[in-house]
Amino acid sequence: MPTATLTSKGQITLPIEVRRGLGLRQGSRVDFVQDGQGFRLQVRSRLASELAGALPKPERPVSLDEMDQAIAVGAFKSVQP
């Protein structure tokens, strides 16, 4: 069973087998969830790099000018009564 030691600053280093098992990398975020047995570690979110390819590609490329125009139109609509 993997173990870790608490430092004087309240920090621990998760053993490599735990990090690998949870798919954790530098920058990963975790939550400590209290349940009837104590606390459990829950992976909170994914890294942005892991989300690559999650959305379908657009039907056609959009230029920066088109993006700027869409943002301006959305901003204008958001302040209209």
Side-chain angles (χ1 to χ4, degrees):
M1 173 169 38
T3 61
T5 302
L6 186 69
T7 69
S8 62
K9 292 184 178 183
Q11 300 170 333
I12 62 170
T13 298
L14 296 175
I16 188 75
E17 57 267 33
V18 173
R19 295 192 309 263
R20 285 180 180 155
L22 293 172
L24 297 173
R25 296 188 183 126
Q26 182 178 348
S28 294
R29 297 184 57 88
V30 296
D31 288 329
F32 297 93
V33 181
Q34 189 170 17
D35 59 22
Q37 301 292 318
F39 285 88
R40 62 186 167 83
L41 188 70
Q42 182 174 355
V43 179
R44 183 169 188 204
S45 60
R46 294 183 176 188
L47 298 174
S49 61
E50 295 174 353
L51 298 175
L55 298 175
K57 293 189 182 243
E59 292 178 17
R60 66 174 185 81
V62 181
S63 70
L64 290 176
D65 288 336
E66 290 172 306
M67 285 186 223
D68 288 342
Q69 184 178 1
I71 292 168
V73 168
F76 178 77
K77 287 181 180 179
S78 70
V79 295
Q80 293 301 307

